[in-house]
Amino acid sequence: MTVEQHPRQTGKVYLVGAGPGDAGLITVKGMRCLQEADVIVYDRLAGPRLLQFKKAGARKIYVGKLPDRHAMKQEDINQLLVDLALEGYTVTRLKGGDPCVFGRVGEEAALLRSHGISFEIVPGVTSAVAVPAYAGIPVTHRDWASSFCVVTGHENPNKLDELIEWDKLTLAAGTLLFLMGVAKLRYITDQLLRYGRSPDTPVALVRWGTRAEQATIVGTLATIADEVERAGFKAPAVIIVGDVVREREQLQWAEVRPLFGRRILVTRARSQASELVRRIEDLGGEPYEFPVIETRLPETEAQRQALRRAMAEADSYDWLVLTSVNGVHYWFKHLQEQQADIRQWARTRIVSVGPKTTEALQGYGIQPDVAAAQYSQEGIWEALKPLVHPGQRVLLARGDLSRSWLKETLQEEGLHVDEVDLYVTVLPEQDDPDLLEMLEEKSIHIITFTSSSTVTNLLAALRYMGVQDPVARLNHALVACIGEMTARTAREAGLRVDTVAEYSTIDGLVEAICALEPTAVQGGC
Ligand code: SAH
């Protein structure tokens, strides 16, 4: 019997602009392409943070140029896209900025077309406009410039004169923007002076704009080449020539935000990280998510049985203690799974720990009877002490890693205590070479720990990725902990703790991070 061979259907290629680096600057459509691709082909200008949005199991292929070598020739990249599509994959080719602005998208698209492979071009926010904007420089302005022109400074110096008619270009537009021009800056400024621009014309260079490494240098056509040389200012940068540069003095905004220049590692579970990520972004920092915790429904039969029993005996409990937002959500998941009704808990008094837990309960229409302000077990006891009586029954419903101190204290006071694990905490298996590279380059400036298990799991995750001495690898960065317990775990593991939140909340943690001395951030600001 012969098996009929179905040829695999040819895949499709999306040529997507990633924007200049700030992950928020990709388009909605670009993000969808990123999330749906089987393979992502990317280079250095498309920031690593975006790759975190790829779907589970999608492949990443780095084809970018490194300063000291060419990672892959353009022809080979073109061919790679063709090969991947012919194998049936949906491919997203992620390019820095806009793919059509010096992005060589034409060559990639042409080869795809010649093989009959369908493609889409998804425009992006070009660095030519966005990078000046992040330095407080609008490329046009009513008073200064009614046109702008984007020019390649080209990496190959010999080609510059073939590509550019300097006599025409110099006065052609109000604002001139050069990409790939740092190495040829002196030549560019000489040509502009020679063909009629005033030596006083303001010039700015913005390097790694929209990212934590953003740096700006300002001068004039007459001075900038010397200043750049003196400062050792390196590519990649956008060169902005024209009066619009004057606006920076009053419009500077990105670089004066409290967390500007800080790349901050967020280790908490992805499902819980969004608030912290958002706060960091709002304050101008660059979050990098590496979740070292994942919560799941309890896995053992004993755990499940304990939960079933607790639900069945609902009306016998005087107190139900819920200790976290996660706990609240899992609690209702269990109710739903066992088709239980919250009204079975009507006579039980509910204790919540911390304002966020209370908020989560209120989201389900429940006003806790007792809201302990402190996240610690000692805090719960303080709140409960005046209310409980010997002989009462308490259900402590929590994650699988909680300490047993509270249970023991309640038992010593003559109460009957049952504990159930609402969820279990696991270390997700993951490989993140980009993170390892950033740690090696010391370009993670602050590490946040939001529980003891984030500490232990981050060290375990690094070991799993082959780092022999994870503590040494992390010690260049500042360490911020959400509370004393977490800080103790970090110190015991050998880490230096630089700040501990006064209040054990995300707001408290963010406040503590903002108070860190900018100068303490190595390589940051
Ligand atoms: N397609 C890209 C440009 C590619 S050419 C775009 O639309 O932005 C590469 C050049 O872009 C770099 O040499 C540099 O001049 C500029 N560039 C890209 N991203 C940048 C960034 N984040 N900061 C400064 N310059 C950047």
Side-chain angles (χ1 to χ4, degrees), residues 19-21 44-45 95-103 124-128 131 155 178-182 206-211 235-239:
R44 185 171 74 117
L45 289 173
K95 286 166 167 288
D98 181 277
C100 297
V101 178
F102 308 134
V125 172
T126 179
S127 66
V131 167
E155 286 154 347
F178 291 89
L179 305 190
M180 299 179 281
V182 179
V206 187
R207 147 171 226 269
W208 281 129
T210 82
R211 304 188 187 210
V238 174
I239 303 169

